[in-house]
Amino acid sequence: MEDDTLDNLKYPGVTVEECTKMIGESLKTPMVKFLREHLEKAGCPVRDDFFKATNCTTAASGGYTPGLGITFCSNVLRFQDEVNQVMIHELIHAFDECHAKVDWSNCAHHACSEIRANHLSGDCHFKRELLRGHMKLRGHEQDCVRRRVMKSMAVNPDCSQAASKEAMEAVWDICYNDTKPFDRAP
């Protein structure tokens, strides 16, 4: 989850109603269907009410809350592609919690799920990084994953910046190379 103040937003998002329609469209995409199918196979079926559009007080695009579901910040999201990205990223967190029994207060667990979600969702694809103003040609994907892991973990009250960085480095190789439920990184 990305987190800044709303003052940093240059463009307003969509209405809750529009975002809800976009969530419905996202649920039809092959990647989302694949992740939901694997959540069900892992014993954690995801109903449509697991997904909620709302207006948020931060510039986060969305987030996963264990036991409650995925929130989409309609006032931040503008395009279908952004809703799809949030959906995929947060479903990977849901899969991790179901499959690996993530303890979100454990910095290593949280770091591992963030590594996987950022790597497997396509959040750090070259084109996305270019649009964010990060123009490194070599190693951009891993640098992006590391940057986004640290940004997401900054909101975890159980993990200081030093503990987050240490946890991320400790689990990096295992978690970056763990592509479940995919055969390989998409």
Side-chain angles (χ1 to χ4, degrees):
M1 176 177 3
E2 300 265 338
D3 191 31
D4 294 310
T5 63
L6 282 176
D7 298 336
N8 293 338
L9 289 178
K10 294 179 184 167
Y11 307 102
V14 297
T15 66
V16 170
E17 293 78 20
E18 291 168 320
C19 189
T20 299
K21 287 179 186 170
M22 293 166 102
I23 291 167
E25 288 303 309
S26 187
L27 292 172
K28 299 174 188 174
T29 64
M31 178 84 83
V32 171
K33 287 180 178 180
F34 175 86
L35 287 166
R36 286 182 77 181
E37 178 183 311
H38 280 81
L39 274 157
E40 188 156 331
K41 286 180 184 176
C44 300
V46 175
R47 298 187 337 233
D48 287 351
D49 65 356
F50 189 75
F51 310 99
K52 182 182 180 193
T54 189
N55 285 313
C56 299
T57 57
T58 68
S61 52
Y64 170 67
T65 304
L68 296 178
I70 298 172
T71 300
F72 295 80
C73 297
S74 59
N75 56 318
V76 176
L77 297 165
R78 298 170 303 199
F79 307 109
Q80 184 65 52
D81 182 63
E82 292 173 324
V83 173
N84 295 348
Q85 272 311 117
V86 170
M87 176 77 74
I88 293 163
H89 180 106
E90 303 304 338
L91 281 173
I92 292 169
H93 286 317
F95 178 83
D96 286 350
E97 182 174 49
C98 177
H99 183 259
K101 311 301 182 215
V102 174
D103 172 0
W104 297 99
S105 66
N106 179 313
C107 300
H109 286 200
H110 187 175
C112 187
S113 189
E114 290 297 345
I115 290 166
R116 286 175 35 75
N118 283 290
H119 176 54
L120 300 174
S121 69
D123 284 335
C124 291
H125 185 273
F126 182 74
K127 182 176 76 177
R128 290 185 197 289
E129 277 292 87
L130 214 52
L131 292 171
R132 291 183 191 121
H134 299 283
M135 311 225 287
K136 186 175 177 183
L137 293 177
R138 295 182 140 229
H140 79 273
E141 202 265 352
Q142 289 192 14
D143 286 353
C144 170
V145 171
R146 289 176 193 279
R147 184 180 70 252
R148 292 174 64 84
V149 167
M150 292 302 294
K151 194 169 189 172
S152 291
M153 291 189 68
V155 299
N156 184 335
D158 297 308
C159 303
S160 67
Q161 183 175 2
S164 296
K165 186 167 177 53
E166 185 178 315
M168 178 181 68
E169 295 303 332
V171 301
W172 180 267
D173 288 337
I174 292 169
C175 299
Y176 188 83
N177 292 305
D178 178 0
T179 61
K180 287 181 202 74
F182 307 100
D183 293 332
R184 57 181 167 77

